[in-house]
Amino acid sequence: GAGVSQSPSNKVTEKGKDVELRCDPISGHTALYWYRQSLGQGLEFLIYFQGNSAPDKSGLPSDRFSAERTGGSVSTLTIQRTQQEDSAVYLCASSRGRGDYNEQFFGPGTRLTVL
Amino acid sequence: AQSVTQLGSHVSVSEGALVLLRCNYSSSVPPYLFWYVQYPNQGLQLLLKYTSAATLVKGINGFEAEFKKSETSFHLTKPSAHMSDAAEYFCAVSVSGAGKSTFGDGTTLTVKP
């Protein structure tokens, strides 16, 4: 079956531009997560969706970051006015139910480079 | 809030040697614990998880981990390393109601021939 997919796989943008990253979770998975992985760093939690609502947005680094999820499926992470420190791999994961005890299935990530 | 610490950002072992990757957690309530592996140029995948059943958990590819409440640890072991085990390993912790897991900084495992 299809896993979690993310697009684009790579994105190079100029400082100050807006970018949109897309995540398609596994069909039927109600929970969806966004993480950021910088070079040599662990996974930094950004936001978590249960259905279309986001009970936990605590990890969004600034108000330049926003995310939405529609139809309990696809999610987009938007970064406005990108900065060089936003360069990282952005990972999306989904799980069958709550992520407390359920396995998270990860996508391959989007590598964002801000010049 | 829960947290996890992985001791040693890089571990190097010889092929056939014991693999031991350390993870300590902090949680005020009983935790759920996970180990994920990220092979080069691939996404993370679950190795094993502890959800308050048996304290010794067996996972894929011959890995296992033991939950030790007294030591707040969940170390990952494999008796004999293979070259194919070279990857980055992440420990994660969650608690009931959190809805999400908190990940450690990862440990890169190198296997020498």
Side-chain angles (χ1 to χ4, degrees):
Chain A
V4 177
S5 61
Q6 293 185 245
S7 60
S9 54
N10 278 285
K11 176 72 176 178
V12 180
T13 190
E14 294 179 349
K15 178 181 172 181
K17 302 282 190 184
D18 297 352
V19 295
E20 262 192 15
L21 312 180
R22 177 186 169 109
C23 172
D24 280 271
I26 293 173
S27 177
H29 279 194
T30 57
L32 186 147
Y33 309 82
W34 284 99
Y35 297 90
R36 181 166 69 175
Q37 187 176 25
S38 303
L39 189 63
Q41 302 294 313
L43 272 68
E44 177 187 4
F45 168 79
L46 298 178
I47 188 170
Y48 148 59
F49 287 92
Q50 185 64 40
N52 291 336
S53 10
D56 191 341
K57 306 179 183 179
S58 62
L60 294 177
S62 73
D63 58 9
R64 296 187 295 105
F65 288 72
S66 63
E68 65 174 13
R69 188 179 186 195
T70 55
S73 181
V74 171
S75 176
T76 55
L77 176 69
T78 302
I79 309 173
Q80 295 178 310
R81 305 181 303 281
T82 52
Q83 304 294 311
Q84 288 183 333
E85 60 262 29
D86 299 334
S87 296
V89 176
Y90 289 81
L91 296 173
C92 175
S94 69
S95 66
R96 189 167 289 114
R98 282 162 50 149
D100 304 0
Y101 47 81
N102 285 304
E103 174 184 0
Q104 293 184 35
F105 293 81
F106 283 80
T110 293
R111 183 176 298 277
L112 175 65
T113 304
V114 182
L115 302 176
Chain B
Q2 62 273 17
S3 65
V4 65
T5 302
Q6 292 185 240
L7 300 174
S9 57
H10 290 84
V11 170
S12 181
V13 300
S14 298
E15 191 173 18
L18 171 72
V19 175
L20 171 61
L21 304 182
R22 299 178 187 273
C23 173
N24 287 87
Y25 69 90
S26 173
S27 175
S28 57
V29 297
Y32 302 116
L33 294 158
F34 307 81
W35 275 99
Y36 286 84
V37 61
Q38 186 175 31
Y39 296 106
N41 300 314
Q42 294 187 28
L44 279 80
Q45 64 183 90
L46 183 71
L47 267 180
L48 48 82
K49 66 178 181 180
Y50 166 77
T51 56
S52 76
T55 57
L56 182 62
V57 182
K58 294 187 183 298
I60 61 172
N61 300 337
F63 284 93
E64 63 182 36
E66 186 172 8
F67 172 69
K68 292 187 176 180
K69 183 178 178 180
S70 60
E71 298 177 10
T72 61
S73 69
F74 190 58
H75 302 332
L76 181 71
T77 61
K78 181 174 180 177
S80 176
H82 293 171
M83 298 297 292
S84 60
D85 294 327
E88 189 159 20
Y89 292 79
F90 293 92
C91 183
V93 64
S94 181
V95 297
S96 181
K100 65 178 185 182
S101 294
T102 300
F103 284 77
D105 288 341
T107 297
T108 300
L109 176 66
T110 301
V111 182
K112 300 175 292 186

